[in-house]
Every structure is written in C-alpha cells, then in structure tokens.
Amino acid sequence: MSPSVATRAGGFAHPALFYGDHEEYLAGTVPFIHAGLAAGEPVMVAVPGDNLDHIRTTLGSDADRVQLHDMSVAGRNPGRILPGVLLAFAAAHPGKRVRIIGEPIWAGRTATEYPACAQHEALINAAFAGRPATILCPYDTSSLARSWLDDAYRTHPTVQMGGAVWESPHYADPVVVAAGFNLPLRDPPAHAATIIVDLPALPAIRRLVTAEAIAAGLAPDRVSDLTLAVNELATNTVRHTAAGGTLAVWTDRTRLICQFSDTGHITNPLAGRIPVPPRQPGSRGLILVNQLCDLVRVHTRPGATTIRLHMHR
C-alpha cells in the first residue's frame, strides 16, 4: 500500500484483498503481518477458522506475537465486530498505529446476515476515520457472490490482488452505502407469539422470552442472554417512544427470533457499533444487544423502527 493512501484518510487505510486460493491468501496476508511486526505495530488477525489455521501455521513462532481470533466466533454477529473486536484492539494500544486483518464476509455467511456485514464494512470507514490504523479485509473471489465482491469496491477505498494495489473507482460515502442496506424486514409469521411493549408489560415480556427460549432448546446461558437483550430493547422502547411498541417471538428450523416494532427512529448510523457518550440514549443498549445475540438486523425510518434478534438453536 502506498503511503499516500494511508495519509489521505488521516492515517487510516482500509484495503480489500481479493484472493482466489490459499496461496494467494497467504501471499496477501502474511507479508502484511510481518511488515506490521517489523514496524513495531500491534497486529491482530480476525478471520474464519480455516484461514486462521493457515495463517497461524505459516507464521510459526511469530504467531505468538499476533492477537488471533476466529471471526466465525468473535464476529458471528457482524454488529459486534466494530465495538468488540476492532475498536477494542485499537483502544488497548493507545498512541500506536495498529494493523488488523479482518475477514467478516466468507462463503458461510447467509443472505440474512449479509446486509449487516456490508453495513459493517462501510461503517469501518466512519468509525476509524482519522485513527492510526490499517485494516485489511480479505474477499474470496472463488466462492463469494459477484454482488458481494462488487460491494467490496464500494466499502473499501483501495483494492489489492496478486501484489497489485489500486484505488477503488466505486468507493462511496460510508454512511450512504450503509443506508442502502437499511432494508425492510418481513412481517412476523402468523403463528408468532406477540405482546404489547409498555411499562406494565416488562415483566411479562421477560417471562415470555424466557419460556420461548427454553422451549426452543437454547442453553441456559443463552436463554439469559436473549432475555437480557430483549429487556434492553423493551426498556428503550418504553423510555424513548410515546406509543410503545410490539414484540413478536417465533422459531424456525434453526433460530429463535424476537422482533421489536415501535415508532422510534435511529438516526445515528453507528448506533450499536461504537461506544457512545453516557448521556446519548439508546445506543448503549444496542451495543449490549449486539454482544449478546447471534445476529441483529435493523430497519429504521422516521416514525418506525424494527429490530430483529436472532439466536441459533
């Protein structure tokens, strides 16, 4: 990467790495890691398990100098990657330029997860603007959908492949790109259990979610996590909307789903993805919800917000 690319964004660089096989993957990632170590930069790698194993093996003893995360675990919910992985690593090394490989999009991602992934990739540019960091994001050209690769050009200022680096001709304002994935969510199915969300209903909401989670076969700790997440959102609805809202709960073959609908409007595109000042309402609850749930999808517009929580069974 040329120095001008990093300087242009106030010290932040966010290239996409296109690769077609393991050799190309390692050729693009391992020298990037070694360059960071040689420069005395803290280095983190957060990629899916198989790719993490390849990098760890290739690094040998240098792997002990790198913070390693399985992104399929740490970033199972794309909404938790910014606060819980990337920004947490940067905050742990104040005053230093950090170097990160983050692979939030891989072939195992579903179409349901993808909009949240694409929003994450766009909003990295807003969250890290002006920060001394380089975040390299690999994309597997042999397995990812063409449209997902096209989106990488819109969410990354530069692209590299086979040793070549070029500026993306389609890179766009990250907030605008993220807003393009603010997509409507389908109505709950007819068999969903529903309850009005208001202050007197909060205990009943917790009981309903706990019972549905137990019936769905969630482990006790995940029952507690989901109940806490739902309580956070229900409390936010009561505090920040005049008309209250509704909660629907249902299961499908693989998931338990809880969907809130109310009359609020989330105007901050980074809500739930970065730490916020103590007096800013709502966003701290969303951060907690992102940490607790396997996937969080949000559709918001003036006068109406829908938030859908997913927990795998």
Side-chain angles (χ1 to χ4, degrees):
M1 176 177 300
S2 67
S4 62
V5 171
T7 303
R8 182 189 61 192
F12 176 56
H14 183 210
L17 168 66
F18 285 176
Y19 69 95
D21 55 34
H22 290 310
E23 288 73 22
E24 291 181 1
Y25 187 83
L26 294 174
T29 57
V30 173
F32 176 86
I33 295 168
H34 283 149
L37 294 176
E41 297 174 355
V43 179
M44 179 175 72
V45 176
V47 300
D50 287 347
N51 285 340
L52 186 65
D53 290 341
H54 289 301
I55 287 176
R56 181 188 287 112
T57 299
T58 304
L59 287 176
S61 60
D62 280 341
D64 294 334
R65 303 168 60 194
V66 178
Q67 189 172 127
L68 302 174
H69 294 284
D70 184 344
M71 185 65 98
S72 65
V73 177
R76 184 172 192 173
N77 175 7
R80 76 168 67 126
I81 300 173
L82 261 172
V85 181
L86 305 184
L87 288 169
F89 183 71
H93 301 282
K96 294 186 177 181
R97 183 176 190 86
V98 296
R99 183 172 291 231
I100 299 169
I101 300 176
E103 190 171 4
I105 299 174
W106 60 88
R109 285 295 199 190
T110 66
T112 301
E113 295 170 326
Y114 179 71
C117 295
Q119 286 179 321
H120 160 77
E121 283 283 62
L123 292 172
I124 286 176
N125 300 292
F128 273 86
R131 293 174 180 263
T134 305
I135 301 177
L136 177 72
C137 299
Y139 281 77
D140 186 352
T141 59
S142 69
S143 63
L144 296 180
R146 179 71 250 178
S147 61
W148 294 11
L149 298 174
D150 290 342
D151 286 337
Y153 279 96
R154 299 197 297 140
T155 57
H156 294 78
T158 60
V159 179
Q160 63 186 70
M161 182 170 60
V165 182
W166 64 94
E167 292 195 4
S168 169
H170 303 299
Y171 178 70
D173 183 295
V175 173
V176 173
V177 173
F181 293 95
N182 177 32
L183 302 173
L185 300 169
R186 292 182 179 179
D187 291 336
H191 66 267
T194 61
I195 187 171
I196 298 297
V197 178
D198 58 19
L199 182 58
L202 290 180
I205 289 169
R206 292 190 291 269
R207 290 194 297 269
L208 170 66
V209 172
T210 297
E212 293 286 337
I214 292 171
L218 269 63
D221 60 331
R222 289 170 60 76
V223 173
S224 298
D225 286 348
L226 182 60
T227 302
L228 177 57
V230 167
N231 187 66
E232 283 291 323
L233 292 185
T235 302
N236 279 348
T237 291
V238 170
R239 286 177 177 170
H240 304 299
T241 66
T246 60
L247 169 65
V249 185
W250 71 97
T251 58
D252 64 14
R253 186 172 55 87
T254 62
R255 300 164 297 177
L256 174 63
I257 301 168
C258 298
Q259 180 164 305
F260 282 90
S261 297
D262 63 30
T263 57
H265 180 210
I266 301 173
T267 58
N268 178 4
L270 287 167
R273 295 179 186 265
I274 62 171
V276 295
R279 288 188 173 84
Q280 184 169 328
S283 297
R284 291 188 307 282
L286 280 175
I287 287 177
L288 176 62
V289 168
N290 270 322
Q291 296 302 314
L292 294 173
C293 297
D294 293 330
L295 177 65
V296 178
R297 290 285 308 278
V298 178
H299 177 242
T300 187
R301 57 186 174 83
T305 290
T306 301
I307 302 177
R308 181 176 288 186
L309 313 182
H310 299 244
M311 294 292 271
H312 294 292
R313 302 170 68 184

